[in-house]
Amino acid sequence: MFDIASLVTKGVTYVKTNLLALVLMGGIVLFIWWKQLIAGQADSIVCVKDDKKTPAPAQQVTLAALTRRALVSPSVLLKEAASLGTYHVKWLFAAPLVVASDPNTVNVVLSDKFIANRVVVNHTAKGVMATNGETHAKQHSLLVSIFQDPSLTASLIDHLHARLASETFPEFNEAIAQKDTLDLCPVFEELWVDVISLWVLGLDATGTVANAKEEIERREKVVEARRCLANLTFVLPTGIAWYFDIIRNYVQYSEYLMLPGSRDYLVRRNGKTKARNIINFEYGTMAKEFRESGKKRGGLAGKLLDAKLAALPEGQTDLSDAEWEDLFEQLEAVQTAAQSPLYSLTPHILYLLAHSPTHQKQIYQELSKVTAKQITKTHVQSLPSLTSFTLETLRLLPPFVTTYNRVSPENAYRLPGQWMLPKSTHIVVDLLSTLRNTTAFGEGASAFQPERFNGRKYTPTTAETPAETSHRVKDALKLSAPVFETTYYPFSAGPFACPGQQIALDVVKVCVAEIVRRYEVVAGKGREGVDVGAVVKGMEEFGSEQGGVLRHLEGCPVLIKKRK
Ligand code: HEM
């Protein structure tokens, strides 16, 4: 007779007594599966040579080379990149993440003629989660052209002057009165978040309109909300949140890449919904005012609206709801993209000046020739010492230590010797190591020497036309050594290059100049005598928190002295 109960009991006893063996077997099966998966992926690295697909030779790439720590600690990134060579492949789900760094090693590993310079970064790769392809290209070139407009830089500088006078100088004076060390990072984080938010939304710079009180209250609400939102936390449907959190752990800046419908996801945990609503209300008001009375704002909002209206088919005078949404998303993207590198770079320049009194003196002497009450873009463009100091700080402390990650479309990322990276390769360029490349910047590449920029003019990487680019890509691959100009690209290059690079250089210099002409910045207590070279060498003082820009880990502590 078939006794089910006894069979079940026997089964349970069997499972109990053999549980350990079953777990072990399961583990072994999983391990074999994993090894096969990895091996399968390695085999599937197919490159294209002379239009024929062939498996890439195994020695061409190093697998699982960078540790996760390298993506958040610049000092670890430098060390690992130096020991591993140029092409590090990190497995990220099904696709490898490639980090290009040292062209010397790439010469050995991949070919004898590869240079990780800004021309080579000009590939036609697509962003992973960002809008990509033609949509991205259109939005990108729109921003590039809008940012050429001098009135836009001028209005940003107006906001900067107003903010320096109302909060920053009083904060500096307070630190002087207290004879206390001041941490520069939080000061400039608030400054840039405030300045960019008012400029992006096209609000008045000084609050001197007829209903001044109401306007000031409104501006305060907006900047409060923006400060609250500056530390991004996404709320996503559970499945996506899990995927996103994992990606975020591995790929820097991925949290800033917009997912479809991201404005809805940007609703915050921890009571940030209120802040989000304040900004959304501003967006709504912007569209309402235009629709009801044709009123347009200043700042970026106004310029972007003008450009979008100009592109409408004849006879159409208003944007559709979807087009307004696009406009808001672009404003949102610029807010994030602009504020964080600015609040990384500005305190770092001042901190390095505190540790380099000779350079500070030189810059102050240059500045003392400017007699105007307010420093303008024209002034700072003709201050060579300040320009060289800024460019050198950007080289050794680039706010983005790696580019955003992007995915290569099939065969579009060309390597030397006609090799192509396979489709869906995640590519991240290690700007930190590239900007310290000894072939390009000489044996003293890791030393802080602003003078290396003397007599050189920075050409924004957005200035290249596609035709010039593809021609130059071909030429670059033939070059035998990377040159200074093409390897210097802290704003990245190609279709994802920073569209705001000239504005960024202008406003950062105006900000630093206004401070240095009033105050002397001195090394903080206990840090006297530490030379600027020691600060930037090993990068131990800095970190790139998940999804964040490069920051001094102790917030750039300095002492401030008022100049006579
Ligand atoms: C020192 C300051 C800045 C630095 C170092 C910087 C650097 C960068 C870099 C490296 C990228 C591209 C990353 C990649 O290739 O994946 C980027 C993108 C971008 N930047 Fe900047 N940036 C700065 C300031 C600004 C400012 C002031 C604005 C706006 C006014 C701005 C707007 C943008 C935008 C909109 C993008 C996204 C471009 C796209 O994906 O098409 N940035 N920035």
Side-chain angles (χ1 to χ4, degrees):
M1 201 44 200
F2 206 61
D3 183 352
I4 294 181
S6 99
L7 262 182
V8 169
T9 318
K10 271 187 192 159
V12 170
T13 317
Y14 180 82
V15 168
K16 270 189 190 161
T17 46
N18 293 290
L19 195 58
L20 188 65
L22 282 171
V23 170
L24 269 175
M25 267 167 62
I28 290 166
V29 170
L30 270 174
F31 180 72
I32 293 171
W33 172 77
W34 174 245
K35 287 291 276 183
Q36 279 178 347
L37 187 73
I38 298 277
Q41 284 178 342
D43 287 346
S44 73
I45 293 187
V46 175
C47 287
V48 174
K49 196 174 183 188
D50 303 330
D51 290 336
K52 257 172 66 195
K53 281 193 179 185
T54 72
Q59 71 274 20
Q60 282 201 325
V61 289
T62 320
L63 294 184
L66 286 175
T67 62
R68 200 176 124 180
R69 183 94 189 97
L71 291 178
V72 291
S73 163
S75 79
V76 176
L77 176 60
L78 275 183
K79 282 182 201 135
E80 291 192 9
S83 69
L84 287 164
T86 307
Y87 272 87
H88 320 304
V89 178
K90 181 181 172 66
W91 290 101
L92 186 82
F93 297 110
L97 166 73
V98 179
V99 181
S101 72
D102 179 1
N104 287 327
T105 324
V106 122
N107 286 349
V108 177
V109 179
L110 279 160
S111 128
D112 55 346
K113 290 191 181 83
F114 181 75
I115 305 151
N117 61 23
R118 82 187 215 184
V119 183
V120 176
V121 180
N122 270 329
H123 57 90
T124 52
K126 296 178 178 183
V128 205
M129 288 170 285
T131 39
N132 50 36
E134 277 181 31
T135 317
H136 173 266
K138 246 166 80 184
Q139 290 183 348
H140 187 262
S141 64
L142 182 70
L143 284 183
V144 170
S145 78
I146 287 177
F147 288 163
Q148 307 293 325
D149 186 335
S151 71
L152 203 54
T153 312
S155 75
L156 183 55
I157 292 176
D158 282 348
H159 280 288
L160 173 63
H161 282 307
R163 178 59 170 69
L164 281 169
S166 68
E167 286 190 49
T168 315
F169 299 150
E171 234 172 325
F172 276 36
N173 295 340
E174 177 69 21
I176 295 170
Q178 302 282 331
K179 295 192 173 66
D180 209 2
T181 310
L182 178 70
D183 287 348
L184 296 173
C185 289
V187 172
F188 290 98
E189 177 162 341
E190 287 197 349
L191 178 143
W192 287 117
V193 170
D194 294 2
V195 166
I196 298 290
S197 58
L198 297 175
W199 173 73
V200 160
L201 289 171
L203 294 183
D204 181 57
T206 50
T208 51
V209 287
N211 52 348
K213 191 168 169 284
E214 211 177 286
E215 183 60 22
I216 288 171
E217 273 171 15
R218 179 182 181 192
R219 284 164 5 112
E220 276 170 3
K221 253 170 92 176
V222 165
V223 298
E224 273 300 319
R226 267 295 168 213
R227 285 180 198 175
C228 178
L229 297 177
N231 192 357
L232 290 180
T233 319
F234 286 92
V235 176
L236 301 166
T238 324
I240 303 176
W242 172 83
Y243 174 79
F244 200 76
D245 277 351
I246 292 181
I247 291 218
R248 213 150 69 99
N249 281 341
Y250 286 88
V251 184
Q252 261 190 325
Y253 315 123
S254 54
E255 67 189 79
Y256 294 142
L257 298 176
M258 295 290 137
L259 288 160
S262 60
R263 259 172 28 84
D264 299 335
Y265 299 143
L266 280 166
V267 174
R268 260 101 254 292
R269 294 183 183 111
N270 311 328
K272 290 187 177 183
T273 315
K274 198 172 152 205
R276 186 72 247 161
N277 287 344
I278 291 172
I279 304 298
N280 285 351
F281 175 77
E282 280 298 330
Y283 288 144
T285 313
M286 192 184 292
K288 194 165 163 251
E289 283 170 353
F290 176 74
R291 284 182 163 163
E292 285 175 1
S293 61
K295 187 178 160 201
K296 284 190 212 156
R297 296 191 174 201
L300 183 62
K303 280 281 174 293
L304 207 52
L305 177 60
D306 277 341
K308 286 186 184 279
L309 290 173
L312 289 177
E314 225 178 285
Q316 201 179 316
T317 53
D318 185 15
L319 307 182
S320 65
D321 288 352
E323 285 163 338
W324 276 106
E325 277 299 316
D326 277 354
L327 188 148
F328 303 151
E329 273 194 21
Q330 259 179 299
L331 295 178
E332 202 64 28
V334 173
Q335 173 80 39
T336 312
Q339 71 192 12
S340 46
L342 289 175
Y343 67 62
S344 158
L345 181 62
T346 319
H348 290 164
I349 295 178
L350 291 166
Y351 183 67
L352 295 189
L353 279 174
H355 287 275
S356 185
T358 324
H359 287 116
Q360 190 171 173
K361 204 166 150 201
Q362 199 179 17
I363 292 171
Y364 178 64
Q365 274 166 1
E366 256 179 19
L367 277 168
S368 52
K369 290 182 198 127
V370 182
T371 51
K373 199 161 163 266
Q374 282 190 337
I375 292 179
T376 63
K377 174 178 123 170
T378 321
H379 291 127
V380 292
Q381 286 185 348
S382 50
L383 293 171
S385 302
L386 177 61
T387 303
S388 297
F389 200 93
T390 305
L391 294 174
E392 181 71 340
T393 310
L394 262 175
R395 188 179 72 84
L396 291 170
L397 304 179
F400 294 103
V401 293
T402 62
T403 61
Y404 301 139
N405 80 325
R406 64 278 315 253
V407 173
S408 64
E410 193 158 19
N411 302 332
Y413 196 86
R414 181 179 283 266
L415 295 174
Q418 304 308 305
W419 292 101
M420 307 283 193
L421 282 187
K423 191 177 174 192
S424 301
T425 305
H426 287 237
I427 302 161
V428 166
V429 179
D430 169 6
L431 291 176
L432 188 67
S433 311
T434 304
L435 291 166
R436 288 170 183 237
N437 175 252
T438 48
T439 319
F441 302 107
E443 278 312 312
S446 297
F448 190 81
Q449 292 164 354
E451 297 71 26
R452 70 178 81 239
F453 284 95
N454 290 357
R456 291 181 194 269
K457 192 177 173 303
Y458 176 71
T459 315
T461 44
T462 40
E464 290 162 339
T465 63
E468 186 191 356
T469 301
S470 66
H471 170 71
R472 290 183 61 187
V473 168
K474 286 190 193 118
D475 282 353
L477 296 175
K478 287 189 216 125
L479 291 175
S480 57
V483 290
F484 193 105
E485 279 77 10
T486 53
T487 313
Y488 184 74
Y489 55 102
F491 293 99
S492 192
F496 289 85
C498 175
Q501 38 195 297
Q502 190 58 56
I503 297 189
L505 288 173
D506 290 336
V507 295
V508 163
K509 285 194 284 176
V510 169
C511 184
V512 171
E514 288 290 13
I515 287 162
V516 173
R517 79 198 302 216
R518 285 176 177 79
Y519 304 97
E520 190 185 350
V521 195
V522 183
K525 287 174 195 155
R527 308 264 312 148
E528 304 87 347
V530 175
D531 180 63
V532 65
V535 176
V536 295
K537 194 160 181 256
M539 296 299 285
E540 281 85 6
E541 292 186 33
F542 299 88
S544 299
E545 298 301 315
Q546 273 181 21
V549 282
L550 185 74
R551 306 293 295 273
H552 189 269
L553 292 171
E554 285 169 32
C556 293
V558 294
L559 284 167
I560 310 283
K561 291 184 182 169
K562 196 148 190 144
R563 293 195 192 270
K564 305 236 159 47

